[in-house]
Amino acid sequence: MGFYVARRTAVGLLMLVALSVLIFVLLRLAPGDPVDAYINPSAPLSLDELAALRERLGLNDPLPLQYFGWAAAAISGDFGYSIQSAGQPVLPLVLSRVGPTVILMASGLAIAIVVGLAAGTLSAVRRNSAMDVGLSVGSFLAISSPPFVTALVGLYVFSVQLRWAPSGGMLTPGVPFSVADLLAHLILPAFLLSLTHGALIMRYMRSSMLEVLNQDYVRTARAKGVREFWVIVKHAARNALLPVVTLIGSSIGMAIGGAIFLESVFNWPGMGLLLVNAVKARDYPVIMCATLIIGAFVIAVNLLTDLVYAAIDPRVKVG
């Protein structure tokens, strides 16, 4: 197990290096001059000042030297200074946005997992019933709806028309912090984030449960007189979870993309909103740092998913 974790960690580090090279090159190949982001349009610089600025930023060096210079500083924790935040160090700025994003993603995925597993189990147990048909239709609608449509419709219906939830932000400005206020702002974006992932989990769980319920050991448990509740929970559900665990792990990575859009729509002060604003402002240091942190998080989640899968299914060997 230790060798497996070490090997996967080494592969993850190589993937992070490849990701950093890719993002660095793409940013340099983007239209426009990187130095433009550092210039105040109301106070244009002379040609000599522009040349001095390019030299100070290292933009006159070959691209490989630029990358290695950035990488050497990044390894020591120096990701530079934010352009859009008045020269604030990038790493503390990005890390300050991790908490809100984790709160939103954890809440949305928790709702998706609980509701998806329960709905998938009920749909399989009551196959071809009205409940099964209703849950199936609802899941297909949730899966087929683009995230931006779901977010905008949810914002319009629940915040603008019904006024059941605040229309944006993480806390009410000028009001002392309270858990109730946080939950009031969190419930709508978390619910919208959970829709697609919950529907996918429900479909996978239903399919897996239908396959497991036809196995001999389930029929044997019923023939021995085991109560139906325990047949479903103890014998069927645990084995049906095996393919769903992998989906849940990949859903965490996919949820990052949904969180980025939801944070923009609901003005949620997380990494997604920071990254979108950084792209608009061409704040390259923030883009690089935020992308690497997101990549490291996804790699760590994939490793954890493999370990959980091995713990659930003793037939899986790691090493």
Side-chain angles (χ1 to χ4, degrees), residues 113 116-117 120-121 197 200-213 215 217 235-252 254 305-306 308-316:
I113 292 171
L117 293 179
T121 302
H197 305 291
L200 285 171
I201 292 173
M202 179 260 175
R203 297 302 305 168
Y204 269 73
M205 188 64 181
R206 179 184 184 276
S207 176
S208 184
M209 280 290 294
L210 288 176
E211 181 178 351
V212 169
L213 288 173
Q215 298 297 317
Y217 62 86
H235 296 276
R238 179 177 180 180
N239 292 284
L241 278 174
L242 296 179
V244 182
V245 169
T246 303
L247 175 65
I248 293 174
S250 62
S251 295
I252 297 176
M254 293 187 297
T305 301
D306 290 343
V308 171
Y309 193 94
I312 294 177
D313 190 352
R315 296 171 299 177
V316 177

Side-chain angles (χ1 to χ4, degrees), residues 63-119:
L63 191 59
L65 288 181
Q66 293 184 37
Y67 172 78
F68 286 120
W70 172 86
I75 291 175
S76 64
D78 181 11
F79 286 86
Y81 296 87
S82 172
I83 301 171
Q84 62 177 338
S85 299
Q88 183 177 350
V90 168
L91 187 58
L93 175 63
V94 174
L95 291 179
S96 67
R97 301 296 190 95
V98 172
T101 296
V102 170
I103 291 174
L104 176 59
M105 286 182 53
S107 302
L109 288 175
I111 296 173
I113 292 171
V114 172
V115 175
L117 293 179

Side-chain angles (χ1 to χ4, degrees), residues 257-272:
I260 289 176
F261 185 81
L262 282 170
E263 287 181 5
S264 301
V265 172
F266 287 91
N267 198 32
W268 188 267
M271 289 184 63

Side-chain angles (χ1 to χ4, degrees), residues 13-30 63-64 67-68 70-71 284 287-289 291-292 295:
L13 291 176
L14 292 176
M15 293 176 63
L16 277 180
V17 172
L19 176 63
S20 67
V21 172
L22 177 62
I23 299 300
F24 191 89
V25 172
L26 289 178
L27 289 177
R28 292 299 185 268
L29 294 179
L63 191 59
Y67 172 78
F68 286 120
W70 172 86
Y284 297 144
I287 296 173
M288 290 294 300
C289 183
T291 302
L292 285 182

Side-chain angles (χ1 to χ4, degrees), residues 76-229:
S76 64
D78 181 11
F79 286 86
Y81 296 87
S82 172
I83 301 171
Q84 62 177 338
S85 299
Q88 183 177 350
V90 168
L91 187 58
L93 175 63
V94 174
L95 291 179
S96 67
R97 301 296 190 95
V98 172
T101 296
V102 170
I103 291 174
L104 176 59
M105 286 182 53
S107 302
L109 288 175
I111 296 173
I113 292 171
V114 172
V115 175
L117 293 179
T121 302
L122 287 174
S123 184
V125 171
R126 301 188 178 183
R127 184 181 182 182
N128 297 327
S129 66
M131 176 183 292
D132 180 28
V133 174
L135 290 174
S136 298
V137 171
S139 65
F140 283 126
L141 289 176
I143 294 172
S144 61
S145 299
F148 64 89
V149 173
T150 303
L152 294 176
V153 170
L155 177 65
Y156 177 75
V157 173
F158 295 105
S159 293
V160 178
Q161 294 296 323
L162 299 177
R163 300 184 182 275
W164 286 357
S167 59
M170 182 176 174
L171 298 168
T172 303
V175 176
F177 172 81
S178 68
V179 176
D181 186 39
L182 173 61
L183 292 176
H185 287 79
L186 174 64
I187 185 62
L188 181 56
F191 168 74
L192 295 175
L193 180 63
S194 71
L195 285 179
T196 300
H197 305 291
L200 285 171
I201 292 173
M202 179 260 175
R203 297 302 305 168
Y204 269 73
M205 188 64 181
R206 179 184 184 276
S207 176
S208 184
M209 280 290 294
L210 288 176
E211 181 178 351
V212 169
L213 288 173
N214 291 323
Q215 298 297 317
D216 291 338
Y217 62 86
V218 175
R219 288 193 289 266
T220 301
R222 285 171 172 162
K224 289 182 177 180
V226 179
R227 292 179 57 187
E228 184 68 15
F229 175 81

